[in-house]
Amino acid sequence: MPVLPKIMAQPTPADTPPRETFNKFFERWICEQNSYLEQLVTAANNHNHQNDDDAVLLPLIDRVVRHYENYYQAKSDWERRDAISMFTPTWRSKLEDAFLWIGGWRPTLAIHLLYSKSGIQLEAKIGDLMRGLTTGDLGDLAPNQIKRIDDLQKKTIHEERVLTEKLAKQQESMADRSMVELSSAVSEMIRNESSGGEDDEKVESALDSKEDGMEELLHMADDLRLETLQAVIAILTPIQAVHFLIAAAELHLRLHEWGEKRDMNTVSASGALNHATGLHVS
């Protein structure tokens, strides 16, 4: 297949306006993802792998990849405004939060997803493959594709480890000598009930430097997420890429819905318990 070029994020109608919260942007983005999912499913159902319809599939794949790029461009803009909030995203459910890695999905998840979907489609059409028929989907990966995917997985695991170690060092820096000295000085000031305008400035400066380090990590992790997605797409044929993007969207959308439902059930159960016990929070 023609290799998809690496597309730099370009401003699109989905870009987050200056005064729009990222929550609102995410709500619109996920609605758009659902719309793209329907288009991908239609394209897969109408595909005849014996005919050359790459001219139909490639523009759709390109639009979907651009949609992901737009998300990371908007996320990058917000990371510059408030990096810390991106580690505890309020637009995601607690279920999704539990599986986040540096503010988003772990890049190797894309490769695990590919192998999982490949196995499912292989089992579904094993009879056709045994008769020498090609299916054209992810159950029909060629040996050279499997080799490239395996190489990509090893490379991505290594890059994940590098970033994980950087995150650990950044977290450990909260207890470095300068922070301990500063916390002791401020604590002493509080005990002596003295004014600490100068110390306040030192605190803000110290915390800002820590946040800058976390922001840099977020950008690096998002770059790796997008690069991994693009690399997987480049290995696949157009129809295989369509099946992969369908699986990715379905997993993301369903996990988001399931998580939100669990959160709502938890809130409802908590409210019922408070009502039953007479506990009310004003």
Side-chain angles (χ1 to χ4, degrees), residues 38-58:
E38 294 176 4
Q39 295 177 46
L40 289 163
V41 170
T42 298
N45 291 338
N46 293 339
H47 175 71
N48 182 346
H49 65 268
Q50 294 179 344
N51 296 329
D52 185 10
D53 59 356
D54 290 359
V56 175
L57 299 180
L58 285 174

Side-chain angles (χ1 to χ4, degrees), residues 2-208:
V3 177
L4 283 171
K6 185 174 180 179
I7 311 164
M8 299 304 293
Q10 299 292 331
T12 72
D15 278 338
T16 177
R19 296 184 180 179
E20 183 183 41
T21 64
F22 194 84
N23 299 54
K24 290 294 184 182
F25 166 80
F26 182 76
E27 289 175 6
R28 287 191 299 108
W29 188 90
I30 208 167
C31 286
E32 292 166 359
Q33 186 181 41
N34 195 61
S35 176
Y36 278 124
L37 173 59
E38 294 176 4
Q39 295 177 46
L40 289 163
V41 170
T42 298
N45 291 338
N46 293 339
H47 175 71
N48 182 346
H49 65 268
Q50 294 179 344
N51 296 329
D52 185 10
D53 59 356
D54 290 359
V56 175
L57 299 180
L58 285 174
L60 175 58
I61 295 169
D62 181 72
R63 290 195 299 273
V64 175
V65 173
R66 283 181 181 273
H67 188 240
Y68 280 103
E69 290 175 334
N70 177 239
Y71 171 81
Y72 287 113
Q73 180 61 55
K75 188 167 180 276
S76 178
D77 292 342
W78 274 93
E79 285 166 358
R80 293 188 184 93
R81 305 180 199 181
D82 185 6
I84 298 302
S85 69
M86 297 313 233
F87 280 90
T88 54
T90 57
W91 51 92
R92 295 191 184 276
S93 65
K94 291 182 176 63
L95 174 66
E96 293 169 289
D97 283 347
F99 293 93
L100 291 183
W101 174 83
I102 312 184
W105 53 274
R106 185 177 285 274
T108 45
L109 183 66
I111 300 168
H112 287 299
L113 171 67
L114 172 60
Y115 279 134
S116 294
K117 190 64 177 181
S118 175
I120 292 170
Q121 293 187 326
L122 175 61
E123 291 175 5
K125 298 182 179 179
I126 189 68
D128 290 342
L129 292 170
M130 291 180 67
R131 291 193 298 272
L133 301 176
T134 59
T135 62
D137 57 20
L138 293 172
D140 196 16
L141 293 172
N144 70 309
Q145 288 180 304
I146 295 175
K147 174 64 167 59
R148 292 173 66 189
I149 294 167
D150 184 57
D151 290 342
L152 175 63
Q153 184 175 33
K154 292 175 182 176
K155 174 178 175 291
T156 307
I157 288 174
H158 171 72
E159 293 178 348
E160 281 183 355
R161 286 175 178 168
V162 170
L163 289 182
T164 298
E165 289 174 2
K166 287 181 179 293
L167 174 62
K169 290 180 180 178
Q170 189 65 30
Q171 291 172 329
E172 289 167 0
S173 74
M174 289 300 290
D176 62 19
R177 182 184 179 94
S178 63
M179 291 297 291
V180 173
E181 288 178 341
L182 184 58
S183 64
S184 295
V186 172
S187 297
E188 186 65 23
M189 178 198 70
I190 293 173
R191 284 191 288 269
N192 295 332
E193 298 181 352
S194 59
S195 175
E198 183 178 340
D199 285 327
D200 289 344
E201 292 179 5
K202 290 180 180 179
V203 169
E204 288 303 313
S205 177
L207 295 180
D208 285 346

